[in-house]
Amino acid sequence: MTEVRHRDPLLTITQFLLRVVTGLIALTAVVVALAIVALILFPHQQLVPRLSADNTLWWVVTAAMVSLVLLTLYLSFTLTLSRIVATVGTGDPFQPENADRLDRMAWLTLAMQGCLLVLAPMVGVIASRIDGLRGDFDVSPDGFILALVLFILARVFRRGTQMRDDLEGTV
């Protein structure tokens, strides 16, 4: 396919926003990783009394590690989405790679939901052990619905690629 001659403002804005979000996720992941190390190696003296009871420190560290995994999954998701948007910008989105990318994004979404299902009760336990913290953390079915939509879109892209290849073979 040929390059798209004009710039689509929606694609340009989307790519810009994806870059910003990807950068923010990466920065947050670095901060969380540093916080995990700091909690383990250099516990803050004012926090120690609040975190020492009932192994609360290890609950916090474990929740931070799950959060780090979650951020890594979000990072992979946004990078994959950015690659799909780039192919749309070239005018040829129906590529086998995009179907694979959509499948990957669906699996990433399911993994993110799994992390949230693990993280939600951990936040509740931590909040119950530290005075003044609230443990409101809701998990919604939206991520599971998004995963289903992405799996279906992957099949649509595979079928669209096959149809285009069949059409080009008959010409």
Side-chain angles (χ1 to χ4, degrees), residues 99 115 134 153 164:
C115 285
R134 289 187 30 220
L153 281 175
R164 186 195 59 200

Coordinates of all heavy atoms in Angstrom, one line a residue, residues 99 115 134 153 164:
A99 N -3.4 -8.1 13.7 CA -4.2 -9.1 14.3 C -3.5 -9.7 15.5 O -4.1 -9.9 16.6 CB -4.6 -10.1 13.3
C115 N -4.2 -8.8 37.8 CA -3.4 -8.0 38.8 C -4.4 -7.2 39.6 O -4.2 -7.1 40.9 CB -2.5 -7.1 38.1 SG -1.0 -7.9 37.4
R134 N -7.8 4.8 53.7 CA -9.1 4.2 53.2 C -8.7 3.1 52.1 O -7.8 3.3 51.4 CB -10.0 5.2 52.6 CG -10.6 6.1 53.6 CD -11.6 7.1 53.1 NE -12.3 6.6 51.9 CZ -12.6 7.3 50.9 NH1 -12.3 8.6 50.8 NH2 -13.2 6.8 49.8
L153 N -11.9 -8.1 17.5 CA -11.2 -7.3 16.6 C -10.0 -8.0 15.9 O -9.8 -7.8 14.7 CB -10.8 -6.0 17.2 CG -11.9 -4.9 17.4 CD1 -11.3 -3.7 18.1 CD2 -12.5 -4.5 16.0
R164 N -8.5 -9.2 1.7 CA -7.7 -8.3 0.9 C -6.7 -9.1 0.0 O -6.5 -8.9 -1.1 CB -6.9 -7.3 1.7 CG -6.2 -6.3 0.9 CD -5.1 -5.5 1.6 NE -4.2 -6.4 2.2 CZ -3.4 -6.1 3.1 NH1 -3.4 -4.9 3.7 NH2 -2.5 -7.0 3.6

